[in-house]
Amino acid sequence: GDSVTQMEGPVTLSEEAFLTINCTYTATGYPSLFWYVQYPGEGLQLLLKATKADDKGSNKGFEATYRKETTSFHLEKGSVQVSDSAVYFCALSDLKTSYDKVIFGPGTSLSVIP
Amino acid sequence: DGGITQSPKYLFRKEGQNVTLSCEQNLNHDAMYWYRQDPGQGLRLIYYSQIVNDFQKGDIAEGYSVSREKKESFPLTVTSAQKNPTAFYLCASSQGFWETQYFGPGTRLLVL
């Protein structure tokens, strides 16, 4: 079945460092891909999404490119801030195969220190 | 502002007690979902509903029940049959079935 794999955390970075959180997926169809962010004690917020190969999603300085050839959707940000400390979830939705769910990765915790 | 509200923010359950978590959305979304999140883990689907008066079990429905009598409301009841209910519960909605989901702020359930 479809699945999402994320790099294990926690990830700790200094402010202004470059961020990459790896996400790879397995899908038999052509899924839409998402990154969600969860701040401490809150619900998930959609950060960005891409619906087809080579699409780039971007928001708040974060970017991710849908790479069909490597089945990846890595999240990047050029310069992180303390306020970016949160848990990041990669997810996919494929109505043709995973007809009964959105599949979330386990989440990657990011801590940014001043 | 449109959005999803969940109440209460914190909920305490006594042994053998049923408790109900509220989820309301004013986004005019057709589909709604309930997830459970345990510390350090991802989300697990409890129940989902595509339209009013219809709902389906997710991966971990045992010990939970739902209703969908109105488009904007999708309450979750945690019954006494759920032996390990302590978790963070998240409600979500989407315009179409399994399209981009928008989440509420969550309810943390604790057992006394």
Side-chain angles (χ1 to χ4, degrees):
Chain A
D2 292 4
S3 65
V4 174
T5 302
Q6 288 182 237
M7 64 185 290
E8 290 189 16
V11 174
T12 302
L13 295 174
S14 297
E15 206 165 20
E16 299 183 2
F18 184 86
L19 168 70
T20 299
I21 299 179
N22 291 337
C23 171
T24 57
Y25 67 90
T26 302
T28 53
Y30 300 92
S32 295
L33 301 173
F34 308 85
W35 276 103
Y36 284 88
V37 59
Q38 184 179 34
Y39 299 102
E42 298 183 9
L44 276 67
Q45 300 174 25
L46 178 66
L47 184 58
L48 53 84
K49 68 176 183 180
T51 57
K52 62 183 187 297
D54 300 324
D55 270 2
K56 176 186 283 188
S58 62
N59 186 25
K60 299 181 181 179
F62 291 89
E63 293 183 341
T65 300
Y66 189 146
R67 301 286 188 197
K68 188 171 183 292
E69 64 275 14
T70 54
T71 62
S72 65
F73 193 54
H74 304 322
L75 183 68
E76 297 182 335
K77 187 175 185 183
S79 176
V80 294
Q81 305 300 312
V82 172
S83 57
D84 294 326
S85 298
V87 180
Y88 293 82
F89 292 91
C90 185
L92 73 80
S93 172
D94 185 353
L95 294 180
K96 292 182 180 178
T97 55
S98 300
Y99 58 89
D100 61 345
K101 63 179 69 173
V102 169
I103 296 173
F104 288 88
T108 301
S109 176
L110 170 66
S111 293
V112 180
I113 55 178
Chain B
D1 286 341
I4 301 176
T5 57
Q6 291 185 243
S7 62
K9 188 173 178 66
Y10 295 94
L11 186 58
F12 298 90
R13 193 190 90 163
K14 296 180 181 178
E15 293 289 338
Q17 185 182 42
N18 293 352
V19 292
T20 297
L21 286 62
S22 169
C23 177
E24 303 277 334
Q25 55 99 357
N26 61 4
L27 299 168
N28 200 32
H29 285 173
D30 289 316
M32 298 186 74
Y33 317 83
W34 273 106
Y35 292 92
R36 170 178 171 144
Q37 185 179 30
D38 292 283
Q41 298 188 28
L43 278 67
R44 291 186 290 170
L45 182 65
I46 305 173
Y47 267 98
Y48 61 94
S49 168
Q50 295 185 63
I51 56 172
V52 175
N53 293 322
D54 179 73
F55 49 83
Q56 304 295 329
K57 293 181 179 179
D59 298 322
I60 55 165
E62 185 175 352
Y64 301 97
S65 66
V66 295
S67 63
R68 185 85 188 277
E69 298 176 358
K70 297 186 296 182
K71 186 175 184 177
E72 59 271 23
S73 179
F74 191 41
L76 173 74
T77 297
V78 183
T79 74
S80 56
Q82 173 49 246
K83 298 307 180 186
N84 184 24
T86 297
F88 191 49
Y89 291 87
L90 290 162
C91 180
S93 71
S94 62
Q95 179 62 54
F97 190 43
W98 296 119
E99 293 181 359
T100 303
Q101 296 185 353
Y102 296 87
F103 285 80
T107 293
R108 189 166 300 280
L109 177 61
L110 301 167
V111 177
L112 294 177

